[in-house]
Amino acid sequence: MDKDRLDPWGTSAIKDYSRLQSEFGIEPLAPLVPRFKKPSPHMRRGIDFGQRDLARIVEAVERNKPYAVMSGIKPTGDFHLGTKMTADDMVYFQSLSKKGTVFYAIADVEAYADNGLSFEQTAKTAVRNVADILALGLDPDRAVVYFQSEELKVMRLGIVFSRGVTNNMLRAIYGERQIGLYMAALFQAGDILMPQLPELGGPKPVLVPVGADQDPHIRLARDLAARYHDDFGFVPPSSIYHKLERGLTGSGKMSKREPASGFTLEEAPAVVSKKVLASFTGGRATIEEQRRLGGQPDICPVFDLYNFHFAPDNEYATRVYQECAGGIRMCGECKQEAATLVKEFLVQHRKKRTALMKDAEELLVKSRRYLISAGK
Amino acid sequence: MDKDRLDPWGTSAIKDYSRLQSEFGIEPLAPLVPRFKKPSPHMRRGIDFGQRDLARIVEAVERNKPYAVMSGIKPTGDFHLGTKMTADDMVYFQSLSKKGTVFYAIADVEAYADNGLSFEQTAKTAVRNVADILALGLDPDRAVVYFQSEELKVMRLGIVFSRGVTNNMLRAIYGERQIGLYMAALFQAGDILMPQLPELGGPKPVLVPVGADQDPHIRLARDLAARYHDDFGFVPPSSIYHKLERGLTGSGKMSKREPASGFTLEEAPAVVSKKVLASFTGGRATIEEQRRLGGQPDICPVFDLYNFHFAPDNEYATRVYQECAGGIRMCGECKQEAATLVKEFLVQHRKKRTALMKDAEELLVKSRRYLISAGK
């Protein structure tokens, strides 16, 4: 992160989340939490920390009005912990009301352009990715999953936006970038705003759950929503921000681009165990010191594993934190315990996912049919 | 045109075509003309003046190998003299061999983004535009006409190219531009290179007939063909350049964007006559002077009308030139004569075009079916 810019394509960690509020205008989440009947684990554990216009979503839920939850995935491989986190948020926000629809974009054009993956390859990966999100609890009856490469509505919006945006606006948000990244950002704004097109029910609140480093994309989409308000009636999209998981290697954020920093939901349990057991921690130099000073869960990627994903409930996560900070919990056992939880989760998840492969295919077919007929 | 750059989006005229050869590497056309059995009127009248790799097309014709001719139109209104000129070139190059296929892109996404025209509006205009080109002689059996908004292959190529291009490369070719214009240029490169995709028969020579000011688009497409040669086997596209018609108002080039500078093939004959009769000319201050010094056909938009379009044959165009330069032909009669020729052409053309509306619709349907099945 450079001095005055967030980098959605970088790998560095964010050190001070409060700065995001003063510098970028991300609003705190806390004041809104009481309006949720059952706040999500991410909200309760301080993982979700900020928002923009989340009140619009809360109001839609309270008044039983339609809203959408939007996110996307680059189908370059299996679900990673980062994708899981966003998926968990989507599932949660979909569950708040029968009027909530999830839009899930499969960025296969990007996977092709950046990673050289053919559309056939990514189509296969996408089915697995969709099965993953179903296994995490997505309701397929209120979900629309689409391939960017097949969604002309998104491409058209991207092109329209490209004419309305100034280079200075893009530079202010993203810094000086290669044009392909600007283009990807504009199409992504198309993804975010598509649910508000007349053929998809018209203007409505749309929530985009993202990692804090993705805020530039939100700002662009919000700028464009304002700029094209007269043409499309766009409501500025809302966002909720989660903290970034620390990489297991101890350097920067956990990232798909650095496989050693995390793991996918499909990696062999033995490999995952190894990664967890070898993880960097917030532990002290000696056991003696750790007993005396306590560990440092706030900088520990192993604590993040508990807190972001694998602690069975909030009390469990809190207990781990307190035992660590209190010098009772030592890193060796803690990693063992984490590895066991991870392994149990993975085994269960895979079972569910395998059983849901057919549902995933059906959801893709159904979504496509819906979007094509909506375009007419 | 600034000192070292051609502006495909500008309205200024080009004063010195020979400079294009020394500065931009456009090759002269003359040495290749003898290889055409029946050179086109544009070639014989010095309107087409330059080329890049046109020899590839000549060779394809000579060896009876497949080649394509590619151009596009922004469907913002009726055929203008500039669109007619490119269409004439397409028809000519298609006619050289049974192995020549025309690809014609209808840039409806741009018409939407730049001119706010809905896809319904442009779809109607496009049918009329296609009927125009059929009336000018296009063989529909070897033509593929498509809407950019429906052609995912083009969009995908545009996105792929956006990742492979550097900002410096774009700036070197186009100067510092608004990102939307860069994006349009990249999608246009997609149009130019699409005929070489495996599903459309694979690598082959593709000719793009253009006005001299459009050379930046050709350079970009050729750069990208080289850059993606290993992935797609692209043959660098060929081009042939025609001079730009002078605007009737005497300022700059004839341009769709300045309606007074020219006319469409659908304007009322009375209006067109008026424009021709009111045209700026290369005439002298007085009749006496014109008799003594001769007129200046080389800077006269009325002579351009004869030479580019409406002189029934080459001898006719030459005679007008010589009479004018020799001080025999006066501007008043010359404009009257031009107006009559234009009117006759328009009446004939409209008759043909009206009769071809159904064929135009059929060509669009047939093309779409072909491109969809080719994508599978």
Side-chain angles (χ1 to χ4, degrees):
Chain A
M1 176 162 81
D2 84 24
K3 230 189 61 192
D4 47 11
R5 214 171 269 128
L6 285 166
D7 178 3
W9 297 291
T11 53
S12 44
I14 291 174
K15 293 213 175 65
D16 180 2
Y17 286 96
S18 65
R19 238 189 74 193
L20 300 182
Q21 288 161 25
S22 55
E23 278 183 35
F24 299 102
I26 293 177
E27 301 286 326
L29 176 65
L32 282 172
V33 173
R35 290 179 65 181
F36 290 86
K37 274 190 203 140
K38 218 185 134 193
S40 72
H42 288 173
M43 289 182 188
R44 297 178 63 191
R45 298 181 196 173
I47 295 164
D48 287 344
F49 69 95
Q51 48 89 20
R52 288 183 195 268
D53 275 347
L54 183 62
R56 285 188 206 279
I57 304 295
V58 176
E59 277 153 28
V61 171
E62 288 170 352
R63 298 178 188 170
N64 201 30
K65 300 269 188 204
Y67 66 96
V69 187
M70 195 279 140
S71 188
I73 186 173
K74 195 161 96 172
T76 48
D78 291 307
F79 252 47
H80 186 270
L81 293 184
T83 6
K84 172 180 178 296
M85 189 138 56
T86 311
D88 286 337
D89 277 342
M90 291 173 67
V91 168
Y92 170 76
F93 282 99
Q94 184 197 42
S95 76
L96 293 180
S97 155
K98 291 283 171 223
K99 293 288 177 77
T101 305
V102 157
F103 286 81
Y104 199 52
I106 298 163
D108 57 344
V109 184
E110 284 189 50
Y112 179 45
D114 294 342
N115 309 74
L117 299 176
S118 74
F119 293 102
E120 292 70 36
Q121 285 173 289
T122 46
K124 273 191 197 164
T125 306
V127 177
R128 291 210 311 275
N129 292 163
V130 172
D132 271 316
I133 189 168
L134 290 174
L136 293 170
L138 189 81
D139 177 355
D141 289 342
R142 287 180 286 116
V144 179
V145 184
Y146 61 94
F147 291 92
Q148 265 191 342
S149 74
E150 288 173 359
E151 202 28 72
L152 287 163
K153 288 186 264 301
V154 171
M155 302 229 179
R156 288 169 184 176
L157 279 177
I159 291 172
V160 169
F161 295 159
S162 78
R163 305 303 166 98
V165 92
T166 66
N167 295 7
N168 282 341
M169 182 173 151
L170 290 171
R171 275 192 210 116
I173 296 178
Y174 294 104
E176 179 74 23
R177 298 289 188 163
Q178 196 264 335
I179 186 172
L181 294 181
Y182 286 149
M183 248 171 92
L186 289 166
F187 285 117
Q188 206 161 310
D191 283 318
I192 293 174
L193 293 167
M194 181 181 79
Q196 299 196 53
L197 288 178
E199 57 266 43
L200 300 180
K204 63 175 77 64
V206 177
L207 177 69
V208 193
V210 288
D213 56 342
Q214 304 298 307
D215 185 51
H217 296 320
I218 303 296
R219 281 164 58 209
L220 178 64
R222 287 169 61 88
D223 268 7
L224 288 167
R227 211 164 269 241
Y228 287 91
H229 180 268
D230 289 355
D231 299 313
F232 295 94
F234 290 138
V235 175
S238 307
S239 49
I240 183 164
Y241 300 89
H242 60 76
K243 290 184 182 166
L244 305 180
E245 233 168 314
R246 288 166 189 81
L248 299 179
T249 47
S251 68
K253 68 182 182 191
M254 189 177 283
S255 162
K256 254 181 167 176
R257 269 163 284 184
E258 296 181 13
S261 71
F263 49 87
T264 74
L265 303 190
E266 298 309 310
E267 274 178 59
V271 174
V272 175
S273 270
K274 230 181 197 165
K275 283 186 183 180
V276 175
L277 296 176
S279 175
F280 171 87
T281 71
R284 305 289 178 177
T286 64
I287 289 189
E288 187 280 322
E289 210 178 308
Q290 181 136 350
R291 289 224 166 91
R292 187 158 47 83
L293 302 169
Q296 303 165 88
D298 290 318
I299 61 157
C300 180
V302 177
F303 177 68
D304 280 358
L305 288 179
Y306 287 98
N307 199 39
F308 283 64
H309 300 286
F310 303 108
D313 55 45
N314 295 327
E315 291 61 39
Y316 198 113
T318 309
R319 182 169 50 78
V320 171
Y321 186 96
Q322 289 171 342
E323 288 176 359
C324 172
I328 302 171
R329 175 176 283 259
M330 296 297 121
C331 292
E333 319 141 21
C334 183
K335 289 202 269 191
Q336 283 287 0
E337 186 181 325
T340 305
L341 283 172
V342 170
K343 215 170 117 182
E344 276 166 14
F345 174 87
L346 291 184
V347 168
Q348 288 307 315
H349 177 78
R350 272 183 229 185
K351 243 187 233 162
K352 285 191 220 162
R353 207 209 57 165
T354 308
L356 287 161
M357 286 294 283
K358 229 186 132 184
D359 294 55
E361 279 174 27
E362 276 168 22
L363 175 52
L364 281 163
V365 170
K366 188 197 76 170
S367 297
R368 192 172 182 192
R369 213 174 286 144
Y370 165 71
L371 285 168
I372 289 175
S373 70
K376 302 281 156 176
Chain B
M1 175 161 84
D2 83 24
K3 230 189 63 192
D4 47 10
R5 217 171 267 127
L6 286 166
D7 179 3
W9 297 292
T11 54
S12 44
I14 289 173
K15 291 211 178 66
D16 180 1
Y17 285 96
S18 65
R19 238 188 74 193
L20 300 182
Q21 286 160 26
S22 55
E23 277 183 37
F24 298 102
I26 292 178
E27 300 286 328
L29 177 65
L32 282 172
V33 174
R35 290 179 66 182
F36 290 86
K37 273 190 202 140
K38 218 185 135 191
S40 72
H42 289 173
M43 288 182 188
R44 296 178 62 190
R45 297 180 197 174
I47 296 165
D48 287 345
F49 69 95
Q51 49 88 21
R52 290 183 194 268
D53 275 346
L54 182 62
R56 284 187 207 279
I57 303 296
V58 176
E59 277 154 28
V61 172
E62 288 170 351
R63 297 180 189 168
N64 202 29
K65 300 271 188 201
Y67 66 97
V69 186
M70 195 279 141
S71 187
I73 187 172
K74 196 161 97 171
T76 49
D78 292 308
F79 252 47
H80 186 270
L81 292 184
T83 6
K84 172 179 177 296
M85 190 139 56
T86 312
D88 286 337
D89 278 342
M90 291 173 66
V91 169
Y92 171 76
F93 281 99
Q94 184 197 42
S95 76
L96 293 179
S97 154
K98 291 283 170 224
K99 294 288 177 80
T101 306
V102 156
F103 286 82
Y104 199 51
I106 298 163
D108 57 345
V109 184
E110 284 190 50
Y112 179 45
D114 293 343
N115 309 75
L117 298 177
S118 73
F119 293 102
E120 293 68 36
Q121 285 172 289
T122 47
K124 273 190 196 164
T125 306
V127 178
R128 291 210 311 275
N129 292 163
V130 172
D132 271 316
I133 189 169
L134 289 175
L136 293 170
L138 189 81
D139 177 354
D141 289 343
R142 287 180 286 116
V144 179
V145 184
Y146 61 93
F147 292 92
Q148 265 191 342
S149 74
E150 288 174 359
E151 202 29 70
L152 287 163
K153 288 186 265 301
V154 170
M155 303 231 178
R156 289 170 183 175
L157 279 177
I159 290 172
V160 168
F161 295 159
S162 78
R163 306 304 166 95
V165 92
T166 66
N167 295 8
N168 282 340
M169 183 173 151
L170 290 171
R171 275 190 209 118
I173 296 178
Y174 294 102
E176 179 75 23
R177 298 289 188 163
Q178 195 264 336
I179 187 172
L181 293 181
Y182 286 149
M183 249 170 90
L186 289 166
F187 285 118
Q188 206 161 310
D191 284 318
I192 293 175
L193 294 167
M194 180 180 80
Q196 299 196 50
L197 288 178
E199 56 267 44
L200 300 179
K204 63 174 78 63
V206 178
L207 177 69
V208 193
V210 288
D213 56 342
Q214 304 298 308
D215 185 51
H217 296 321
I218 302 296
R219 281 163 57 209
L220 178 63
R222 287 170 59 90
D223 268 7
L224 289 167
R227 210 165 272 241
Y228 287 92
H229 180 269
D230 289 355
D231 300 313
F232 295 95
F234 290 139
V235 176
S238 307
S239 48
I240 183 164
Y241 300 89
H242 59 75
K243 290 183 181 167
L244 305 180
E245 234 169 313
R246 287 165 190 82
L248 300 178
T249 48
S251 68
K253 69 183 181 189
M254 190 177 282
S255 163
K256 254 181 167 177
R257 270 163 283 185
E258 297 180 12
S261 71
F263 50 86
T264 73
L265 303 189
E266 297 310 309
E267 274 178 59
V271 175
V272 174
S273 269
K274 232 182 195 164
K275 283 186 182 178
V276 174
L277 296 176
S279 175
F280 171 86
T281 71
R284 304 289 178 176
T286 64
I287 289 189
E288 186 281 323
E289 210 179 307
Q290 181 137 349
R291 288 223 168 91
R292 189 160 43 85
L293 302 169
Q296 303 166 86
D298 290 320
I299 62 157
C300 180
V302 177
F303 177 67
D304 280 357
L305 289 179
Y306 287 98
N307 198 39
F308 283 64
H309 300 286
F310 303 107
D313 54 45
N314 295 326
E315 291 63 38
Y316 197 113
T318 308
R319 183 168 50 78
V320 171
Y321 186 95
Q322 289 171 342
E323 288 175 359
C324 172
I328 303 170
R329 175 177 283 258
M330 295 299 120
C331 292
E333 319 141 20
C334 183
K335 290 201 268 191
Q336 283 288 1
E337 186 181 325
T340 306
L341 283 172
V342 169
K343 215 170 118 182
E344 276 166 15
F345 174 87
L346 291 184
V347 169
Q348 288 308 314
H349 178 78
R350 271 183 229 186
K351 245 187 233 163
K352 284 191 221 163
R353 208 209 56 166
T354 308
L356 286 162
M357 286 295 282
K358 230 185 130 184
D359 293 55
E361 279 174 28
E362 276 168 22
L363 175 52
L364 280 164
V365 170
K366 188 197 76 172
S367 297
R368 192 171 182 194
R369 212 174 287 143
Y370 165 71
L371 286 167
I372 288 175
S373 70
K376 302 282 157 176

